[in-house]
C-alpha cells in the first residue's frame, strides 16, 4: 500500500485561495472538532470555496469534515472559515468540555439508581 500526500492541490492555487495568508489571526477559534453552521445562503460573486463551505454547513459540520469535503489542508480551511466568521456568514461552536471528575455524581449514588431501575 502506497501513501499519497494529503495535500494534492497546487501550492499556487492554495496561495490564491487564501489571498496569500498562511496563518489565521486566532488559532483557538477553529480546532478540528469545532462545529460550523452557515447563517446565510451564498451570494453571487462569492469565492467558490466560500460557497461550498456555506452549502456544506447548512447542517452543523466539524472543521475536519469541511476540510475533507473540500480536499484542502486544515490550515487553508481555517483561513476560509475565519473570513466567513468575520463577515457574519457562519457561526462556530466548540463542543462542550468533559466535566471534571469532582463534578460527577458519586458512584454509590449511580449504583443505587441502577439498582432502582432494575427493580422496576
Amino acid at each position: 500500500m502506497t501513501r499519497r500526500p494529503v495535500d494534492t492541490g497546487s501550492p499556487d492555487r492554495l496561495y490564491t485561495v487564501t489571498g496569500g495568508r498562511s496563518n489565521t489571526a486566532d488559532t483557538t477559534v477553529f480546532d478540528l472538532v469545532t462545529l460550523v453552521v452557515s447563517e446565510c445562503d451564498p451570494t453571487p460573486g462569492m469565492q467558490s470555496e466560500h460557497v461550498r463551505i456555506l452549502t456544506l454547513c447548512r447542517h452543523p459540520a466539524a472543521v475536519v469534515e469541511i476540510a475533507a469535503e473540500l480536499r484542502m489542508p486544515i490550515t487553508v480551511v481555517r483561513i476560509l472559515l475565519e473570513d466567513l466568521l468575520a463577515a457574519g456568514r457562519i457561526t462556530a461552536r466548540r463542543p462542550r468540555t468533559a466535566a471534571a471528575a469532582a463534578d460527577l455524581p458519586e458512584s454509590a449514588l449511580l449504583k443505587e439508581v441502577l439498582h432502582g431501575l432494575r427493580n422496576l
Side-chain angles (χ1 to χ4, degrees), residues 29-105:
V29 176
F30 295 107
D31 61 6
L32 296 178
V33 293
T34 299
L35 293 177
V36 178
V37 179
S38 59
E39 294 296 326
C40 64
D41 291 327
T43 56
M46 285 182 74
Q47 185 175 339
S48 62
E49 290 80 12
H50 287 158
V51 171
R52 288 192 60 208
I53 290 171
L54 290 176
T55 304
L56 287 169
C57 295
R58 286 187 178 137
H59 300 286
V63 173
V64 70
E65 293 175 297
I66 297 167
E69 286 292 325
L70 294 177
R71 295 182 180 202
M72 290 185 163
I74 292 288
T75 54
V76 172
V77 172
R78 283 181 177 155
I79 293 168
L80 295 171
L81 290 172
E82 190 175 85
D83 293 343
L84 291 170
L85 185 65
R89 295 184 181 275
I90 61 169
T91 54
R93 187 181 75 223
R94 298 182 95 179
R96 293 182 189 153
T97 57
D103 296 336
L104 296 174

Side-chain angles (χ1 to χ4, degrees), residues 13-28:
R13 179 181 170 278
L14 297 177
Y15 180 85
T16 305
V17 165
T18 62
R21 295 169 291 157
S22 60
N23 292 338
T24 58
D26 185 3
T27 57
T28 61

